[in-house]
Amino acid sequence: MVDLSQYNVVGYDNFREVVARFTKTGIYGGDTETMGLRVHHGDRLFSLILSDEEDGFYFNFQKYTDLDENFILDRKLIPLLVPVFANPLTKWYFHNAKYDLHILANDGISVDGEIHCTQAQGLVVYNEHQFYTLSAEAGRIGESKDDAVENYIKAHPELVRKVEVPGKKRRDVIKDYTRVPPSIIIPYGIQDARVCRKIGENQTATILKLASDFPPNLPSIRNVYENEKKLTKTTFNMERRGLRIDLEFTKRGAEFEAERIRAAEREFKGLTGEDYKQSPLLMCRVFEDQKDRWQYTDKGNPSFESDILKKFDSPVARAVLQLRGSKAKMDFFTGFLWHVDKNGFIHPKLNQDGAGHGRFSSSEPNCQNLKNNDEDDEDSPKMSAEEAYFQVRRAFLPHDGFYAFSLDYAQVEYRLALDVAAEMKVIELIIKEGLDVHSATAQLTGLSRKIAKNLNFGLLYGQGEELTAAVIGCSRMQARGYRETLAESLPNVARYNWNIMKVAKTRGYIFNWFGRRCHFPNRELSYKALNYAMAGGAADVVKIGLNRIEEYLRGRKSFLNWNVHDENWIQVHPNEMGVVAEVKHLMETAYPHRFLPLECGVEWTDKSMGDLVEWDGKALAS
C-alpha cells in the first residue's frame, strides 16, 4: 500500500470533519483533477483539492489497487460537498477558475462565494507577460509547481493521445491523469491548490498596494480587479448556457465551403502551375507581375495580407482571397460540429486574459471573431446568393421559446477617443447631424468616408505610413498627406495621442478611464498606447455591461447569452420584452461620458443570428 501519512488525504474517517472545516467563512484555494478536458461532453472530476492557510486536503474518488480503501471515496459522497461552496462570504482562489467551476457544476456543485481567478487577475496585475499559467504565476512569487506528474507522463507515452481538432493548426494533446499513481498525483494536486492560494493572496495584495499608492482622484486598478472577479461568474454562466446550433445548416455550410476551397485550389494551380500553401516565398513568385502594387511592413518585408491582395488586379489574388475566406468559414463550421454537445449546443470559452489590453478571446471553439452581417467592406467582391446564405451566423438559433436579440455598441473605441480628447467639432457633427464617426471625420477632412475610415482605424491601431498606404491603396507620400490632414482636422485627438505615447515611453505604463494598466516594457512600442487605452477602455465598457446585464436579468426567464467583441446577445422570453430597453440603457451608461454618449443598435430574430432585423421597440407578433 502507498504510504500517504505525510499528506492530508481525506478518508471516510475524517470526511465530515474536513468538510466542516471548509464550510466556515474563510479564504481558500481550490483545484480539481479530472478524467478529461471536455467538460461539456461528460468529463468529470476524480479528485478535489482544497487548501487553507495551513495545508491542503485531497478528496480522492478514483480507484487505485495500491491505495487503502479508506481513501477511495464513493462518488455518492460528492453531494455532501455542496455546503463547502455554498457560503457566499467565502473567497475562493482557482487557477483557470471557470474550468473548475464547470467540472464542479457537472456534479451539481455551485460556488456561491467570491471567486478570484489567478489566471485572469494575473493580466490585471501585469498585462505584458507571455504566459499566465499556474507554473508561470508561481515562479513570479518564488513558488514552484510540482512537475512530477508531467515527468511521469513523459516517461509513459501510452498515457498520451493526440486528437485532430478542426480549426486548430496543432493537434490537442490529451493526457490521462487517472492512470498516474496516487503517490505522484496526490502531492501534485495538494501543491497546486496551495500554490494557487498563495498566488491569489499575492495578487490581491499587489493590486490593493497599487490602488493605495495612486492618487484617489484618478481611476483605480481596484475597479478592474472587482469587475473581473464578478466577470468570472458572469462568463461562466454564459458558457454554461451555451449557444444553440442548427446542425443541418452547419453540415451543409461545411460541405459548401469545402467545395469552394477545392475549386479555389484548382484555380490557383491552373493559373500558377503550383500547389497553394501559406508561404511568403510562394506569394512573391506568383505575384511578381503585381510588384508595382506590393506593400511592405515597417520592417521592409513584402506583405500579402488580404486587405492588400484586394488591391491587386489579378485572378490569382482572387483565388487566394477565396481560399482564405472559405478556410476561415470552414474552420467555424467544422469547429461547431466538433464541439457541439448531445443537446445541440456549443459552449465556447470567453477568456478574460485573452489580450494584453483586456479584450476577450474565445476558444473551444472561437466565437469571438464572427463578422457582423452588415460590415461594410467596399473592396470585397460581391457574394453570390449561395455564399451570402452560408454566412456563419446563420448557424446560431434562438433557444426554444425565446427571441434572440443582439445589442451592438456603435464604434465604441472611436467614441471613447473623441470623448476623452474632447474633440468637439466631430462630436457636434455626430450629435447634431446624426453622423457616424467616419462620416463626421470625412466631412471635417474633406476626404471620402472610405479613406476617413481607414485613417481613423490607422490612428487608433498605431499604423505606420507604409501600412496606411497599403490599406488605402495609395503612395506613401499620399498616405503621409492624408495623415497630416487627419491630424489638422482632429487636433485634440492628435494631441492626446502624442501625450499618451510620451507617457508610455517615459513612465512605462498608461491607465485607461477605468483604471486598467497597460505596460510598455519595450518603450519602442509606445506608438500602441492609444490603441491600448481605447481597446482596453472599450473592453472594460463591455465587461461592465455584461456584469450589469447578468445582475439585472437574474431571477427572470430572459438571460444573457453571448458576447462577440462589442456585441452582446440576450435570449428574451416573450413575456419579458421590456427587458430589451433596460439592457440597452445598462450598456450605454456603462461608460460615464463627458461629451459623447455611447450608443447601441438593437436587432432581433426568431430565425437565426444571420437573419437579424432592426428592433423597433414594439411587442412582437405571436
Side-chain angles (χ1 to χ4, degrees):
M1 291 293 170
V2 177
D3 179 13
L4 297 173
S5 57
Q6 61 181 310
Y7 303 110
N8 291 316
V9 183
V10 181
Y12 285 98
D13 55 353
N14 67 339
F15 179 87
R16 293 183 183 278
E17 176 189 337
V18 176
V19 167
R21 176 175 180 149
F22 285 94
T23 302
K24 298 174 184 176
T25 299
I27 300 175
Y28 306 125
D31 191 24
T32 59
E33 301 299 339
T34 64
M35 300 171 183
L37 300 177
R38 304 195 76 194
V39 297
H40 302 290
H41 294 78
D43 285 333
R44 310 283 282 274
L45 65 81
F46 68 80
S47 69
L48 170 69
I49 309 97
L50 307 177
S51 71
D52 57 18
E53 66 278 5
E54 295 178 11
D55 217 329
F57 295 80
Y58 194 99
F59 295 78
N60 170 61
F61 300 95
Q62 172 74 9
K63 292 184 178 180
Y64 296 102
T65 58
D66 55 347
L67 188 62
D68 189 313
E69 288 190 4
N70 178 55
F71 301 124
I72 302 175
L73 301 174
D74 194 305
R75 294 192 70 88
K76 292 179 182 178
L77 291 176
I78 291 179
L80 298 181
L81 293 166
V82 168
V84 168
F85 298 99
N87 187 342
L89 301 179
T90 289
K91 181 175 183 178
W92 288 96
Y93 293 115
F94 289 96
H95 194 81
N96 188 17
K98 285 185 290 182
Y99 175 78
D100 294 295
L101 296 184
H102 284 301
I103 283 293
L104 291 169
N106 285 351
D107 275 299
I109 297 174
S110 173
V111 182
D112 297 330
E114 181 181 307
I115 298 171
H116 173 127
C117 175
T118 52
Q119 182 169 297
Q121 298 294 354
L123 185 83
V124 176
V125 172
Y126 188 83
N127 70 304
E128 281 295 308
H129 291 309
Q130 186 174 5
F131 300 108
Y132 294 91
T133 60
L134 183 64
S135 178
E137 289 296 315
R140 289 171 193 133
I141 64 167
E143 294 286 339
S144 62
K145 177 178 166 59
D146 187 343
D147 58 3
V149 167
E150 296 304 322
N151 290 339
Y152 182 87
I153 290 175
K154 284 179 184 176
H156 295 79
E158 68 275 12
L159 273 60
V160 177
R161 60 189 177 93
K162 295 184 178 180
V163 179
E164 296 282 352
V165 179
K168 283 192 174 183
K169 294 180 180 179
R170 298 178 181 176
R171 291 184 293 174
D172 272 5
V173 177
I174 310 299
K175 301 172 184 177
D176 187 353
Y177 289 91
T178 66
R179 294 165 62 189
V180 177
S183 59
I184 296 176
I185 195 76
I186 289 173
Y188 165 89
I190 290 174
Q191 175 73 351
D192 274 4
R194 282 159 140 183
V195 167
C196 180
R197 188 181 183 280
K198 289 182 180 179
I199 293 168
E201 291 281 75
N202 182 273
Q203 289 176 346
T204 301
T206 300
I207 289 168
L208 295 181
K209 175 88 166 51
L210 289 171
S212 66
D213 289 347
F214 222 51
N217 61 318
L218 295 176
S220 171
I221 193 173
R222 187 163 184 173
N223 296 335
V224 185
Y225 172 59
E226 298 295 340
N227 198 62
E228 292 286 342
K229 281 193 294 185
K230 294 177 184 176
L231 192 69
T232 296
K233 282 193 176 182
T234 294
T235 52
F236 162 74
N237 289 333
M238 294 163 68
E239 293 172 7
R240 200 78 190 161
R241 291 163 190 147
L243 299 168
R244 185 174 171 227
I245 295 296
D246 184 335
L247 283 174
E248 184 55 36
F249 171 84
T250 302
K251 291 173 184 175
R252 289 168 54 209
E255 293 167 359
F256 175 75
E257 297 302 340
E259 178 50 44
R260 280 174 52 78
I261 290 170
R262 289 190 289 269
E265 287 174 338
R266 290 193 297 269
E267 177 75 4
F268 183 89
K269 183 154 190 176
L271 291 167
T272 67
E274 301 202 46
D275 291 325
Y276 176 79
K277 59 182 177 181
Q278 285 281 29
S279 163
L281 291 176
L282 175 62
M283 294 296 103
C284 288
R285 287 200 303 273
V286 301
F287 291 121
E288 179 68 28
D289 64 333
Q290 299 288 308
K291 202 160 187 177
D292 59 327
R293 298 173 186 261
W294 284 16
Q295 298 292 340
Y296 298 84
T297 67
D298 290 336
K299 292 183 178 180
N301 299 317
S303 174
F304 298 102
E305 296 290 330
S306 293
D307 283 342
I308 295 171
L309 291 190
K310 289 172 185 176
K311 312 293 182 184
F312 286 13
D313 181 20
S314 163
V316 179
R318 289 190 286 275
V320 172
L321 288 170
Q322 180 179 317
L323 263 165
R324 290 177 179 175
S326 289
K327 177 65 168 61
K329 291 173 72 174
M330 176 79 167
D331 286 347
F332 275 119
F333 287 132
T334 55
F336 297 164
L337 294 173
W338 169 261
H339 289 284
V340 70
D341 68 15
K342 62 182 180 181
N343 299 313
F345 286 76
I346 60 172
H347 304 267
K349 292 168 59 179
L350 273 175
N351 305 309
Q352 289 170 256
D353 63 327
H357 43 48
R359 284 283 195 182
F360 287 123
S361 68
S362 173
S363 55
E364 299 177 23
N366 179 6
C367 289
Q368 188 63 193
N369 296 321
L370 298 167
K371 287 188 176 180
N372 287 326
N373 303 335
D374 60 352
E375 282 188 324
D376 53 335
D377 187 348
E378 301 168 34
D379 294 315
S380 291
K382 290 289 184 182
M383 289 189 290
S384 67
E386 200 172 16
E387 286 176 77
Y389 176 74
F390 282 112
Q391 58 176 284
V392 174
R393 285 183 172 230
R394 194 163 274 127
F396 299 103
L397 300 175
H399 289 223
D400 279 338
F402 290 81
Y403 296 113
F405 276 78
S406 162
L407 294 94
D408 193 2
Y409 282 108
Q411 301 171 325
V412 58
E413 294 178 9
Y414 300 101
R415 282 178 171 257
L416 281 176
L418 294 173
D419 189 68
V420 299
E423 195 64 80
M424 300 310 297
K425 287 185 179 180
V426 183
I427 290 172
E428 287 171 7
L429 286 174
I430 293 170
I431 294 175
K432 293 180 180 179
E433 298 188 24
L435 300 179
D436 69 14
V437 171
H438 305 310
S439 296
T441 304
Q443 187 164 315
L444 269 181
T445 58
L447 301 170
S448 70
R449 183 183 183 279
K450 177 181 175 182
I451 292 177
K453 178 183 175 182
N454 284 326
L455 289 173
N456 280 337
F457 182 89
L459 173 65
L460 205 60
Y461 288 87
Q463 264 182 14
E465 285 181 4
E466 283 282 4
L467 194 51
T468 299
V471 171
I472 293 176
C474 65
S475 69
R476 186 165 181 169
M477 184 175 294
Q478 285 176 305
R480 182 179 303 163
Y482 289 147
R483 286 156 61 94
E484 289 172 354
T485 298
L486 184 71
E488 291 166 3
S489 302
L490 279 69
N492 290 355
V493 172
R495 190 177 302 112
Y496 181 84
N497 184 29
W498 187 88
N499 286 336
I500 201 169
M501 283 195 293
K502 183 179 178 181
V503 169
K505 196 162 191 175
T506 56
R507 189 174 62 191
Y509 75 89
I510 60 168
F511 56 89
N512 69 17
W513 70 272
F514 194 50
R516 182 181 296 276
R517 294 188 177 205
C518 295
H519 294 81
F520 291 85
N522 180 353
R523 306 300 171 89
E524 297 305 311
L525 299 179
S526 60
Y527 66 89
K528 294 183 177 181
L530 181 64
N531 171 242
Y532 269 54
M534 296 307 121
D540 287 315
V541 168
V542 168
K543 290 176 173 181
I544 292 166
L546 288 172
N547 283 335
R548 285 178 158 200
I549 296 167
E550 180 71 9
E551 184 176 350
Y552 169 69
L553 294 178
R554 189 175 297 126
R556 291 177 167 86
K557 294 177 181 177
S558 304
F559 56 90
L560 177 61
N561 194 205
W562 194 243
N563 164 267
V564 182
H565 206 54
D566 299 326
E567 175 189 8
N568 295 329
W569 297 357
I570 59 173
Q571 301 288 327
V572 179
H573 191 272
N575 296 337
E576 297 178 343
M577 302 308 297
V579 305
V580 179
E582 182 59 23
V583 168
K584 182 176 187 289
H585 174 73
L586 291 172
M587 288 175 59
E588 290 179 336
T589 56
Y591 167 69
H593 71 281
R594 295 188 300 161
F595 310 107
L596 182 62
L598 301 182
E599 288 186 356
C600 290
V602 184
E603 296 179 307
W604 75 280
T605 183
D606 59 357
K607 297 180 178 67
S608 81
M609 295 307 289
D611 298 292
L612 290 166
V613 295
E614 190 173 347
W615 169 241
D616 61 7
K618 299 177 183 177
L620 297 172
S622 59

